[in-house]
Amino acid sequence: MDPITIAALVAMVAGAGVQYKASSDAQERQRREIAASLEAQRELQMQAEQKAMGAAKEFETPKRAAEQQQLATGIEQSLITPVSESQAIRAQQQTTQGDVSDDYTTAKAASDLETVKQAEQLARLLGKTTSAGRLRMNEGIRLMDTGQDVDRLAGFSRGRAGADNIAIQQAGNVDPGQVLLGSLLQSAGTAGLMSGAGAASKAGAGKTAFGGVNNSAINTTGGSNFARAFG
């Protein structure tokens, strides 16, 4: 096999290899982009699930009972404190107005104590009834916040998916420079093979022509010798 043919075959193989590598690289880039997109979507999905599960845990009976008790206690204190302070101020004002009998003081103290007790009972009742409504309101607010967070994550997911689709499509595009290089190498190899075949054909034709001349000369020479011998 002549050097031209060998070089042509090498060029064709190299061209095919370059094009195959370009296609393989594009597939690998696309695979990485798809994997990254899936991982990002999984992360967003996990965040949404964690928010939903966190909100659901707030509705567990022990937590709801503890929160309602805390709310009731706060409401009771907010109602009792002004009554106690008012009673203390009134007792001080009445003391400064002058001396009073012990019976009056005792009766006044009992009356004040009964007023405070009644205020405490009313505060506890209001605390229980109001805390239930306050608890539902707080739960509604948390649910609304959770829903907004999940919607926001869903929006991020849709936006990321759209961007990832573009990136995946672009990653799947074969490098045009490598494709062109492979095509040029293959074309050069094909041209080399054709050139080698043409040269081989010409060489064969030359040998045939040369052999024909020799045969004619032999035939002519042989004919002349025969004529001289028998003429």
Side-chain angles (χ1 to χ4, degrees):
M1 187 178 294
D2 62 282
I4 295 178
T5 302
I6 294 174
L9 290 174
V10 170
M12 292 182 67
V13 172
V18 170
Q19 290 186 334
Y20 174 79
K21 187 176 185 304
S23 178
S24 179
D25 290 345
Q27 291 177 359
E28 178 61 21
R29 288 194 303 270
Q30 195 169 48
R31 186 194 65 77
R32 289 197 299 266
E33 289 293 338
I34 292 173
S37 177
L38 292 175
E39 179 62 24
Q41 293 297 325
R42 188 182 72 86
E43 180 65 25
L44 291 172
Q45 181 66 26
M46 289 179 59
Q47 292 181 21
E49 290 178 356
Q50 288 174 357
K51 288 185 178 297
M53 292 176 62
K57 288 181 179 180
E58 297 296 327
F59 287 89
E60 294 177 354
T61 301
K63 286 190 175 183
R64 294 186 79 246
E67 184 178 358
Q68 185 172 354
Q69 181 59 44
Q70 184 179 4
L71 290 171
T73 301
I75 294 171
E76 291 174 17
Q77 292 299 323
S78 66
L79 294 174
I80 292 174
T81 299
V83 175
S84 300
E85 292 177 350
S86 176
Q87 288 296 107
I89 293 172
R90 289 175 60 188
Q92 184 179 5
Q93 289 176 345
Q94 290 173 356
T95 301
T96 57
Q97 290 177 357
D99 296 332
V100 295
S101 64
D102 293 340
D103 293 339
Y104 176 80
T105 301
T106 302
K108 183 64 173 59
S111 176
D112 291 344
L113 181 59
E114 183 65 23
T115 300
V116 172
K117 287 183 178 180
Q118 291 178 356
E120 289 177 350
Q121 291 177 354
L122 179 61
R124 282 193 293 271
L125 178 61
L126 291 174
K128 290 180 180 179
T129 57
T130 306
S131 63
R134 187 76 59 81
L135 175 64
R136 288 192 293 271
M137 182 181 69
N138 291 344
E139 289 174 344
I141 292 173
R142 286 196 293 267
L143 282 176
M144 181 179 65
D145 292 341
T146 301
Q148 290 177 347
D149 290 339
V150 172
D151 288 342
R152 184 163 52 251
L153 289 172
F156 289 160
S157 177
R158 290 190 295 270
R160 178 62 187 265
D164 287 345
N165 286 334
I166 296 174
I168 290 170
Q169 291 177 359
Q170 291 179 345
N173 294 332
V174 180
D175 187 353
Q178 289 183 323
V179 173
L180 177 61
L181 176 60
S183 178
L184 290 175
L185 287 172
Q186 288 184 322
S187 297
T190 302
L193 287 177
M194 293 177 63
S195 175
S201 177
K202 289 180 180 179
K207 290 180 180 179
T208 302
F210 181 73
V213 171
N214 290 339
N215 291 334
S216 298
I218 291 171
N219 292 335
T220 302
T221 303
S224 300
N225 293 333
F226 181 79
R228 285 196 298 268
F230 295 97

